[in-house]
Amino acid sequence: MATETLIESLVADLRPVKPRNRSTETLILAGLGALQLLLFVVIYGVRADFMPAMHSSALWWKVISMGVIALLGVAAVLRSLDPANAIRTNLGRIAAVAAIALAAGWLIDAGAGGREALLARLNWHHGLQCVWMVFILSQPAVIGLTLLARHGAPTDLPRTALAAGLAAAGWGGFVFAFACPFDDPLYVAVWYTVAVIAVAAPMRWLLPKLTRW
């Protein structure tokens, strides 16, 4: 078979691929996120003492920390879907921000009051409910980021998957923070960390299996 004929036969079934538009992807994710937050507030509601709690720095620390993790994670994922970009540095920044934000709770009188007070502050029954809610609320972001990854071309799938998991977990935590009645920094540091791991770990394992690149 002549070289020209072989090449023509190989490309005969190819179809043009629509270029990715990062701005459009960002707007779609932002729109879906805003819709989810609105539905959550309308259906589930915010915490009963939300207005007084707005004067608490602990509430805003919780909300802003989760929001920043989500934003940095999404930015890293969208950037990594272009094969010309590397994600190593971006992922390091996300991990550092997440660690500093969540570890802040440990630095605020974590051991005050002794062991019994510590266990009471952790409140494991409500803590597990918190983990479950963050996990559930992160799933729309998990689905959206997975679909984007399948249409992108990431060259470092494990790191892209981990960034996506952190982004989804941060978003789930951000949404739930408006309803979560606990502002104790130690409680937030422990249970939100568990929630982030519960979302990011499966995402790190699953996303590479679902991405064709």
Side-chain angles (χ1 to χ4, degrees), residues 69-70 72-78 80 87 90-91 94 145 157-170 200 203-204 207:
I69 292 172
L72 291 178
V74 168
V77 171
L78 294 180
S80 75
I87 193 176
N90 291 327
L91 185 57
I94 301 168
L145 292 170
L157 269 175
R159 285 190 173 86
T160 296
L162 186 55
L166 290 173
M203 192 72 165
R204 164 63 180 82
L207 185 59

Side-chain angles (χ1 to χ4, degrees), residues 45-57 59-60 177-181 183:
V46 297
R47 52 192 288 179
D49 63 340
F50 183 75
M51 295 304 292
M54 289 181 65
H55 300 287
S56 168
S57 58
L59 169 65
W60 296 114
F178 291 95
C180 176
D183 292 330

Side-chain angles (χ1 to χ4, degrees), residues 115-136:
R115 180 173 178 273
E116 292 184 2
L118 178 64
L119 293 177
R121 290 175 65 188
L122 289 178
N123 198 333
W124 68 269
H125 179 69
H126 287 285
L128 293 178
Q129 292 180 354
C130 167
V131 172
W132 175 246
M133 287 297 297
V134 172
F135 181 84
I136 293 299

